[in-house]
Amino acid sequence: MTDLRSVGPVVELQLAPGTGASSTREVAARAPVLGLIDTGATVTVIQEGLATRLGLNPVGVAHIDTPTSVNFECYRYLVRLVLPNEIVLETIALEAPLARQHVACLLGRDVLAHAVLVYIGYGNLFSLSV
Amino acid sequence: MTKLLEDELRTYQRHREQLLAAAEGKFVLIKDDRVVGTFDSEMDAIRQGYAVFGNVPFLVKEIVEIEVPKKIFSPLLRV
């Protein structure tokens, strides 16, 4: 069983281009990725390079402050997050390099704005309801 | 870093004062050197961008006097 304390609340999801950004690579783009639910992130972040894999083009730019840098500039993309049970959320994600290779996405408070997150640390359980 | 939208960002800077006067708080859609329009919501601007230009880079930007960076406190970020 995964240790929730060390790994964090990680969910399997699929990323796809947002509505209107249809892509011939959409099928490949819907391969599962792992997303870490991150209450410290104002918005969702996707791993650098993932947008190209998804066939996405930027719809804007954003500046972010992180623990180690200030005013870092990155692209913004319209993406669909396909969560378990085919629950689909559309959001505007930033693209930035992430340190953990197996986590391709940080699910930020833009996602949590539509959800209920229950974290039961002593039971090594969490649930995300949308 | 954001070379794909360099032209659009220049266009925004050129029109910034007019946009602030006319539509502060709204969202502007810009493609190349053309200000396409302003919209009440960001999603409306993006949908219009896809409808007019398709899946190509375009800029949707909130028209604000002071730009405030978004906060991402995750230690997973390598920036």
Side-chain angles (χ1 to χ4, degrees), chain A residues 35-86:
Chain A
L36 176 71
I37 299 168
D38 189 341
T39 59
T42 319
V43 294
T44 292
V45 180
I46 60 173
Q47 176 69 284
E48 192 175 42
L50 197 50
T52 305
R53 256 177 62 197
L54 290 163
L56 287 171
N57 280 297
V59 297
V61 296
H63 293 88
I64 58 172
D65 288 348
T66 76
T68 52
S69 69
V70 173
N71 229 18
F72 178 79
E73 198 174 49
C74 50
Y75 288 120
R76 306 175 74 217
Y77 297 91
L78 184 66
V79 296
R80 272 182 295 158
L81 310 170
V82 186
L83 297 166
N85 301 319
E86 286 296 308

Side-chain angles (χ1 to χ4, degrees), chain B residues 11-12 15 19 28-38:
Chain B
T11 302
Y12 177 78
H15 293 84
L19 288 166
V28 63
L29 169 62
I30 297 174
K31 177 64 183 157
D32 300 325
D33 60 353
R34 180 180 157 208
V35 176
V36 179
T38 58

Side-chain angles (χ1 to χ4, degrees), chain A residues 38 40-42 65-67 109, chain B residues 71-77:
Chain A
D38 189 341
T42 319
D65 288 348
T66 76
R109 297 200 299 271
Chain B
K71 312 285 184 195
I72 314 274
F73 295 117
S74 175
L76 289 188
L77 277 175

